C-alpha cells in the first residue's frame, strides 16, 4: 500500500513538473522515477536528444528531430520500402466471345504395376544396411528352434525353400510386350504410367494431329464430368472400370477461330480393371504410351498440356 501511494505521488509530481516547463527554455526536462531498495525518488535531467516518456508520466513525448531525420534517411536508402509502397498493376486480358462448342475429353492412365528401377544410390544404401545388420546380428540359440516333438528345426531353417519351388521368385520386369514393343498391350512398361491415345474416325478439329485423347461433345444440361464419362464409354465399352480423379478439369485447349472455335476440357481418369472393348466407339486405332512417348504423337499445344497434367 505504501509503495502504491509513493507511485501515485511521483506520478502527480512528474505531471506537474512537465506542465510547468517553460516554452523555448532549451531542451525539455526529463523526469523519471528510479526505484531503490528503500524508496522511490524523483530526479530530473536535461537530454539533448529530445523528450522521452517517463514510465510514470501520462504526458505524450515530443517528436525527436534526430529520429525523424533517421527515418527519412532510411526510406531513401531502402529500395524495398519504395517497392512495397507501390500499388500493384493489374492487366485485364482482352475480352473474347465464349466458344460455341464445348468438348469433354478423358485422359486415361494405367498406374505403375511394379516399383521403378532403383537408383544407384539406393542400391548402395541397401548394401550398407545389409552389412550393418550382419555385423550386429547374433546367432540364435538351439532352444529357439525346439519344436513340440523335442527335435530341432535348425537344419530345416538353414536349408530354406528349395529353388524349384513354384512359389519362389519374382515376376519379370521386362515382359513379352516390352520385347515386341507392343504399344497396344497394357503389359508393357510395368514400372511407368501408360496413357491411352486414340485415332478417331470422322471430324478432326483445327490444329489437331491424328492422335488425341478420347473426347466428345457435351450435351445441353449435362455436367462436364458426366460428358467426359459418357464419351469415354463409347471408346472403351461399359465393362471397363474407370475412376475420375476429381470433378474439375486438369486443363483446356482451344481449337479453331471465330464462330467455329471449340474448347476441349481434359479430365484425369484412372483405369482400374475390366475388359476394354476398343471396338465400342468410332476409332481407327489406339495406343498405350508413356509420358515421353505422348510428345511424339500429339500436336505441340496438346503435348505441352500433357507435360503438365500427365505424370511420368
Amino acid at each position: 500500500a505504501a509503495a502504491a501511494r509513493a507511485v501515485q505521488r511521483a506520478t502527480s509530481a512528474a505531471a506537474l513538473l512537465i506542465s510547468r516547463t517553460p516554452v523555448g527554455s532549451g531542451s525539455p526536462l526529463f523526469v523519471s522515477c528510479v526505484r531503490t531498495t528503500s524508496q522511490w525518488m524523483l530526479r530530473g535531467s536535461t537530454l539533448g536528444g529530445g523528450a522521452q516518456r517517463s514510465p510514470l508520466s501520462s504526458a505524450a513525448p515530443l517528436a525527436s528531430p534526430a529520429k525523424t531525420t533517421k527515418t527519412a534517411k532510411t526510406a531513401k536508402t531502402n529500395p524495398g520500402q519504395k517497392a512495397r509502397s507501390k500499388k500493384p498493376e493489374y492487366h485485364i486480358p482482352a475480352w473474347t466471345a465464349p466458344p460455341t462448342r464445348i468438348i469433354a475429353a478423358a485422359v486415361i492412365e494405367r498406374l505403375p504395376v511394379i516399383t521403378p528401377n532403383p537408383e544407384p544410390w539406393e542400391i548402395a544404401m541397401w548394401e550398407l544396411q545389409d552389412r550393418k545388420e550382419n555385423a550386429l546380428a547374433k546367432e540364435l540359440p538351439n532352444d529357439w528352434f525346439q519344436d513340440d516333438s523335442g527335435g530341432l528345426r535348425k537344419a530345416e531353417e538353414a536349408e530354406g525353400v528349395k529353388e524349384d519351388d513354384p512359389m519362389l521368385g519374382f515376376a519379370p520386369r521386362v515382359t513379352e510386350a516390352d520385347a515386341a514393343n507392343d504399344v497396344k498391350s497394357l503389359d508393357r512398361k510395368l514400372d511407368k504410367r501408360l496413357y491411352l491415345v486414340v485415332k478417331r474416325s470422322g471430324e478432326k478439329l483445327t490444329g489437331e494431329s491424328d492422335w488425341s485423347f478420347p473426347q466428345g461433345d457435351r450435351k445441353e444440361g449435362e455436367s462436364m464430368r458426366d460428358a467426359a464419362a459418357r464419351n469415354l464409354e463409347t471408346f472403351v465399352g461399359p465393362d471397363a472400370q474407370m475412376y475420375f480423379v476429381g470433378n474439375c478439369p486438369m486443363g483446356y485447349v482451344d481449337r479453331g477461330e471465330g464462330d467455329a472455335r471449340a474448347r476441349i476440357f481434359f479430365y484425369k481418369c484412372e483405369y482400374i480393371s475390366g475388359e476394354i472393348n476398343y471396338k465400342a466407339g468410332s476409332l481407327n486405332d489406339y495406343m498405350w504410351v508413356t509420358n515421353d512417348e505422348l510428345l511424339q504423337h500429339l500436336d505441340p499445344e496438346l503435348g505441352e498440356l500433357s507435360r503438365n497434367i500427365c505424370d511420368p
Side-chain angles (χ1 to χ4, degrees):
R5 288 194 295 271
V7 171
Q8 185 177 6
R9 288 196 298 271
T11 304
S12 302
L16 181 62
L17 289 174
I18 292 176
S19 63
R20 292 183 178 182
T21 302
V23 179
S25 59
S27 301
L29 182 65
F30 171 72
V31 182
S32 65
C33 186
V34 181
R35 183 179 183 182
T36 63
T37 55
S38 58
Q39 63 179 353
W40 290 77
M41 62 182 175
L42 209 63
R43 72 175 183 180
S45 63
T46 58
L47 300 177
Q52 300 183 24
R53 181 187 294 272
S54 169
L56 301 178
S57 175
S58 60
L62 299 177
S64 175
K67 187 175 181 181
T68 305
T69 305
K70 183 178 180 181
T71 304
K73 184 178 180 180
T74 304
K76 293 180 180 180
T77 59
N78 187 2
Q81 184 175 0
K82 183 178 180 181
R84 288 191 296 270
S85 62
K86 185 178 179 180
K87 295 183 179 180
E89 297 180 0
Y90 299 97
H91 299 280
I92 302 176
W95 181 86
T96 57
T100 57
R101 186 179 178 185
I102 302 297
I103 299 175
V107 182
I108 310 173
E109 66 174 352
R110 188 223 63 189
L111 297 177
V113 180
I114 60 176
T115 57
N117 293 323
E119 299 290 340
W121 65 267
E122 293 180 296
I123 299 176
M125 185 62 184
W126 294 340
E127 295 177 352
L128 176 62
Q129 290 175 340
D130 290 339
R131 292 197 301 268
K132 183 178 179 180
E133 291 178 0
N134 295 333
L136 299 177
K138 295 182 179 180
E139 186 176 358
L140 295 173
N142 291 337
D143 297 342
W144 182 269
F145 301 95
Q146 193 79 25
D147 56 14
D148 298 337
S149 62
L152 293 176
R153 301 193 309 270
K154 192 171 184 178
E156 298 177 1
E157 296 286 345
E159 183 181 359
V161 184
K162 297 181 180 180
E163 295 184 359
D164 57 353
D165 194 319
M167 299 300 295
L168 181 66
F170 300 94
R173 300 184 66 88
V174 179
T175 63
E176 296 179 359
D178 289 321
N181 195 23
D182 185 5
V183 295
K184 299 183 183 300
S185 175
L186 282 170
D187 294 333
R188 65 185 295 262
K189 305 290 184 181
L190 298 182
D191 60 335
K192 297 182 180 295
R193 300 170 187 261
L194 293 181
Y195 298 91
L196 176 64
V197 291
V198 298
K199 186 180 292 186
R200 306 189 320 272
S201 59
E203 178 190 11
K204 188 169 69 171
L205 300 176
T206 304
E208 277 188 331
S209 65
D210 294 335
W211 296 94
S212 63
F213 296 110
Q215 64 188 39
D217 289 277
R218 167 185 171 271
K219 295 181 179 180
E220 185 67 26
E222 188 179 28
S223 66
M224 292 300 302
R225 175 174 167 173
D226 292 342
R230 176 181 55 80
N231 291 312
L232 176 60
E233 186 174 335
T234 63
F235 286 92
V236 299
D239 297 332
Q241 183 182 358
M242 301 290 180
Y243 174 74
F244 279 87
V245 184
N247 295 317
C248 296
M250 304 293 291
Y252 72 92
V253 170
D254 285 342
R255 301 292 190 187
E257 296 179 356
D259 296 338
R261 184 163 61 99
R263 178 164 295 178
I264 309 173
F265 292 91
F266 296 89
Y267 285 79
K268 180 68 75 67
C269 179
E270 294 179 356
Y271 168 69
I272 305 301
S273 62
E275 181 182 359
I276 300 179
N277 183 12
Y278 299 102
K279 298 180 180 180
S282 54
L283 57 88
N284 295 330
D285 202 356
Y286 68 94
M287 290 190 304
W288 288 95
V289 294
T290 62
N291 187 13
D292 295 333
E293 295 170 343
L294 279 174
L295 304 179
Q296 304 173 11
H297 302 285
L298 301 179
D299 60 87
E301 189 174 4
L302 187 54
E304 182 64 25
L305 179 65
S306 68
R307 292 177 63 91
N308 298 325
I309 67 177
C310 297
D311 299 322

